[in-house]
Amino acid sequence: MIAESICEELKNKINNNNFTGIVHSIFQNAVNIITNDNNFITLLTIYKPMAPHAIKLFDFTSFLDYELEKETKISIHNEYMWLEDLNIKIIFDKAQHWNPSPMFTYTKESEEYILIKLSIMEKYLLNSERVLPSLFKTLSLQYNCFESFFNKTYTDDNFDFLNDRFLRFMKAFVYEEETITDMSKDIIGYGQGLTPSIDDFICGLMVSKIYLSHYFHKNIDKSLRFNSLIIRDIDGRTTRVSEEMLKFSAKGYVNEDIRNLIISLISNSSIEDFNMNLKKVAAFGFSSGIDIISGIYTCSQLLFSQYA
């Protein structure tokens, strides 16, 4: 098998080192691997967007066609990965290097047009039944910029019990309080799936904070330090896949579709491109994409209320 792309940060870790690992989880379009030094690596099919610590395979359409099982042994070398039990070699020596870092080379959009794009995002969330139940309504009671969600009826109120903790977390987020570490521990891990809804929402918050800090000429390092407080004590509080996604998002590392969406929001990008990127992210999983969009929208609205 030939790799099309490899995360640049991952390739630097692999260079001149030999690792072993085992398969953690298997899906049609992705396989997750845990290495002996506790790194997390994801193999992707051609259908998935490139992502942090990932290797994307060229012209490869499904991992379910192979007899992969959890605990399958893997050895990782400078130029290839070998699945020992299946005698499959994945070669990445000539794969394109993909940089997961935030991109700040865009041409800035006017505040007026960003607000138009945010209104499109708002309508998208209002029309979705998968948006985080009750939590947006809870936000509308505390922050005027979410008043559109006050009268929305949700069929699923499984998050009602979380409302008070959620508001305490959001207050600490808005005012950049150091108590955010304890507040995040109270809500991280809630929701179903490989990446629980609250975790996806927080990923959207954190990556947006980095990009909006750049847009408004705020201290990006300060935002990165604050994000690090959010995820400081999350080990063991959620799924391993979600834990990795949260830690990457805290640094602004997200897959290329999420990055494209945020850049199309704040850059001189057409409404058509923005809508296309919005739909791509919304298609992730059952609700993960909508939950990430919810976090992006929430952070953007709050920071525009503060800085615009």
Side-chain angles (χ1 to χ4, degrees):
M1 298 179 186
I2 307 297
E4 178 204 65
S5 307
I6 184 169
C7 172
E8 193 172 86
E9 184 175 277
L10 173 62
K11 186 62 172 71
N12 290 336
K13 287 184 179 180
I14 292 173
N15 281 346
N16 303 316
N17 290 290
N18 292 329
F19 297 97
T20 58
I22 57 171
V23 171
H24 170 272
S25 46
I26 309 146
F27 306 93
Q28 179 169 328
N29 291 306
V31 169
N32 296 311
I33 297 164
I34 297 180
T35 67
N36 61 303
D37 64 342
N38 206 34
N39 270 298
F40 207 76
I41 299 173
T42 302
L43 301 178
L44 298 171
T45 70
I46 199 70
Y47 297 126
K48 300 293 282 185
M50 193 56 191
H53 269 219
I55 299 171
K56 187 172 183 177
L57 302 184
F58 179 75
D59 201 24
F60 188 82
T61 57
S62 176
F63 290 106
L64 299 182
D65 295 337
Y66 294 82
E67 297 177 358
L68 276 171
E69 297 179 355
K70 287 186 178 181
E71 309 293 323
T72 296
K73 294 180 181 179
I74 294 170
S75 59
I76 304 162
H77 306 273
N78 191 30
E79 297 182 344
Y80 67 94
M81 179 183 293
W82 183 38
L83 285 71
E84 299 177 20
D85 295 343
L86 301 178
N87 195 27
I88 293 174
K89 184 179 284 189
I90 297 171
I91 302 169
F92 47 74
D93 62 325
K94 293 182 172 59
Q96 179 180 347
H97 290 194
W98 181 79
N99 189 337
S101 301
M103 293 178 60
F104 300 127
T105 55
Y106 60 89
T107 301
K108 289 185 178 181
E109 182 66 276
S110 69
E111 292 181 12
E112 176 187 0
Y113 277 96
I114 292 179
L115 291 174
I116 290 172
K117 292 174 182 177
L118 283 176
S119 70
I120 293 171
M121 190 177 282
E122 178 184 278
K123 289 176 184 175
Y124 202 93
L125 293 174
L126 283 167
N127 289 330
S128 174
E129 286 302 317
R130 289 181 289 169
V131 71
L132 278 166
S134 75
L135 295 187
F136 262 110
K137 184 171 286 190
T138 302
L139 281 174
S140 73
L141 298 173
Q142 196 75 31
Y143 304 99
N144 291 335
C145 51
F146 302 107
E147 60 185 8
S148 299
F149 293 88
F150 180 75
N151 293 317
K152 181 172 170 59
T153 301
Y154 296 98
T155 56
D156 183 0
D157 287 328
N158 289 336
F159 285 80
D160 272 355
F161 74 98
L162 204 59
N163 285 348
D164 290 342
R165 279 181 272 178
F166 179 69
L167 281 180
R168 289 196 294 270
F169 170 83
M170 291 307 304
K171 177 178 177 291
F173 182 83
V174 169
Y175 293 105
E176 298 186 335
E177 297 171 353
E178 292 200 7
T179 57
I180 194 72
T181 301
D182 291 329
M183 299 299 102
S184 66
K185 286 192 295 185
D186 282 344
I187 64 172
I188 276 175
Y190 282 98
Q192 297 179 343
L194 197 63
T195 55
S197 291
I198 288 291
D199 299 4
D200 289 325
F201 176 84
I202 292 173
C203 286
L205 280 181
M206 292 192 294
V207 71
S208 299
K209 186 170 181 62
I210 294 168
Y211 277 92
L212 269 294
S213 293
H214 176 266
Y215 179 87
F216 285 115
H217 304 288
K218 302 299 178 181
N219 189 321
I220 296 173
D221 288 338
K222 183 180 177 183
S223 294
L224 289 167
R225 285 194 297 271
F226 183 71
N227 282 352
S228 72
L229 291 177
I230 295 176
I231 53 93
R232 186 170 64 185
D233 293 337
I234 66 167
D235 289 5
R237 294 182 176 275
T238 186
T239 68
R240 180 60 193 271
V241 174
S242 192
E243 184 180 307
E244 292 297 314
M245 187 172 173
L246 283 160
K247 290 176 178 178
F248 282 131
S249 298
K251 299 189 291 184
Y253 291 13
V254 288
N255 75 39
E256 58 185 336
D257 283 353
I258 299 171
R259 183 165 70 182
N260 288 342
L261 173 60
I262 297 172
I263 291 174
S264 67
L265 171 65
I266 60 177
S267 71
N268 186 15
S269 178
S270 69
I271 296 296
E272 290 74 20
D273 284 346
F274 175 72
N275 271 315
M276 178 186 68
N277 292 326
L278 188 62
K279 290 175 182 177
K280 279 185 179 180
V281 175
F284 292 171
F286 174 73
S287 66
S288 283
I290 293 292
D291 296 332
I292 291 166
I293 291 169
S294 298
I296 293 170
Y297 171 78
T298 298
C299 182
S300 300
Q301 285 285 30
L302 290 170
L303 293 188
F304 261 80
S305 297
Q306 280 184 285
Y307 302 137

